[in-house]
Amino acid sequence: MRILFLGDVVGRTGRDTVAAALPDLRARLRIDLAVINAENASHGFGLAPDMARTLFAAGADVLTLGNHSWDRKEIVPYLAETPRLLRPLNYPPGTPGAGSVVVTLADGRRALVLSAMGRLFMDPLDCPFRSTAVELAKYRLGASVAAIVADFHAEATSEKMAFGHSFDGQVSLVVGSHTHCPSADHQILPGGTAFQSDAGMCGDYDSVIGMRKEGAATRFWRKMPGDRLQPAEGPSTICGTFVETDDATGLATRIEPIRQGGRLSQTLPSV
Ligand SMILES: [Fe+2]
Ligand SMILES: [Fe+2]
């Protein structure tokens, strides 16, 4: 299975660039399953339902969220009625929406996609390790599902690496989101799980993690809350990860980073 994961879509530039490029990316890389983190699509904060519909229409199979899940209130009823839009699974029981979904591809293959959120330098949610283990116990990789993708939305690389190693061999891909910076540690772990600490964002990199640099920097100088942060609106770099898996085992055979457009050095796997 060929899997595409794109990191946090930030603001209009991220949304428009991803929506415009996704059909071509899917075709060029012959993607079977596309998962996109969209927690910052709405002006940097949350995801509005119309933006989710645009990303689904462009070719996203599953959208994931994170600590900005609830910034747009309209998303709450939409989450409850849209199984392919995920919020992290380790929110307390009773939270609207779901943290995982089984997607059936056009050719009948099934894939599990899940979202979990870290706790180091983040909100204190339920344990993401135990919550993920409970979810994974319901499936057999390479048997009941052909692939499993886990978006681990977390701040600390240590927690992300620990999460990847914890589920090595049980998941096709553990990919981080949230930091908005692509890491260069993409690899196939010893047990066969593809891993990257962070896929990076889909947004303007002449910024502070996607927000206008002037306002964001002032906050660090003055240590006072300033005006509401605004998304930077220059050309967007699409950042993500490409993974190929063996359907018989569900394990990864290849992982390559993707950086297309905008300011970052460019890389696109050849398929
Ligand atoms: Fe984010
Ligand atoms: Fe986040």
Side-chain angles (χ1 to χ4, degrees), residues 160-174:
K160 289 171 159 176
M161 290 183 186
F163 190 91
H165 286 297
S166 293
F167 300 109
D168 184 18
Q170 297 179 59
V171 175
S172 312
L173 167 64
V174 170

Side-chain angles (χ1 to χ4, degrees), residues 8 10 37 39-40 44 67-68 153 177-180:
D8 310 37
V10 182
N37 186 296
E39 70 149 4
N40 307 106
N67 54 306
H68 290 289
H153 197 79
S177 56
H178 177 74
T179 70
H180 295 197

